[in-house]
């Protein structure tokens, strides 16, 4: 739990500026209007808050599913066991990852808005479904 959470936080915080640049390059308003290189850490609170439970949920699910699946003496089942366990781990982790990604990406292209304001705006105008926008495609990509 701790190792997975800490690893997730470290990776997310180190790579965050690259993700911001990528998100702004993909923005329909264009890189410069989306913030350019200004506020390169906009949206980091949602990543920091979601990163630990996201990584922990993945590893807990992965290890538990792996221990339940058959893993007899035949080595040909081993890759399938790991693939199924990792896939189910991603399905569970995305329940945490997708809402934090939605808030993060919206903050990255609107660096003047706070994370809390973006979260409340999304919930007010779109409901909980707004936080899970792109859940299915994210799960498909991760699996």
């Amino acid at each position: 739990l701790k190792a997975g959470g800490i690893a997730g936080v470290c990776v997310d915080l180190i790579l965050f500026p690259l993700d911001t640049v990528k998100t702004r390059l993909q923005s329909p308003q264009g890189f410069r209007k989306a913030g350019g290189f200004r506020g390169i850490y906009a949206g980091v609170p949602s990543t920091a808050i979601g990163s630990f439970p996201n990584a922990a949920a993945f590893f807990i699910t992965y290890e538990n599913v792996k221990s339940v699946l058959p893993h007899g003496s035949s080595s040909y089942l081993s890759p399938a066991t790991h693939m199924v366990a990792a896939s189910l781990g991603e399905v569970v982790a995305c329940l945490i990852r997708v809402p934090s990604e939605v808030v993060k990406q919206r903050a990255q292209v609107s660096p003047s808005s706070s994370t809390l304001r973006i979260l409340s705006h999304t919930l007010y105008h779109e409901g909980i479904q707004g936080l899970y926008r792109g859940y299915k495609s994210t799960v498909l990509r991760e699996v």
Side-chain angles (χ1 to χ4, degrees), residues 90-107:
E90 288 295 348
V91 169
V92 171
C94 282
L95 292 171
I96 298 165
R97 182 182 309 133
V98 170
S100 83
E101 283 285 313
V102 167
V103 173
K104 176 196 74 165
Q105 289 173 347
R106 291 177 182 189

Side-chain angles (χ1 to χ4, degrees), residues 9 12 44-56 93 96-97 99-101:
V9 169
D12 286 343
V44 80
S46 66
T47 296
I49 291 168
S51 185
F52 189 94
N54 167 51
I96 298 165
R97 182 182 309 133
S100 83
E101 283 285 313

Side-chain angles (χ1 to χ4, degrees), residues 18-98:
L18 292 174
D19 187 56
T20 300
V21 169
K22 176 193 71 114
T23 300
R24 290 177 181 176
L25 285 168
Q26 293 172 339
S27 172
Q29 46 187 317
F31 179 74
R32 193 171 293 233
K33 284 186 181 176
F37 289 106
R38 198 172 24 89
I40 206 80
Y41 278 95
V44 80
S46 66
T47 296
I49 291 168
S51 185
F52 189 94
N54 167 51
F58 170 80
F59 284 110
I60 287 172
T61 305
Y62 172 76
E63 291 297 333
N64 284 315
V65 169
K66 195 172 70 171
S67 71
V68 171
L69 291 175
H71 54 279
S73 61
S74 57
S75 63
Y76 71 91
L77 279 179
S78 183
T81 299
H82 290 283
M83 287 187 325
V84 169
S87 295
L88 290 175
E90 288 295 348
V91 169
V92 171
C94 282
L95 292 171
I96 298 165
R97 182 182 309 133
V98 170

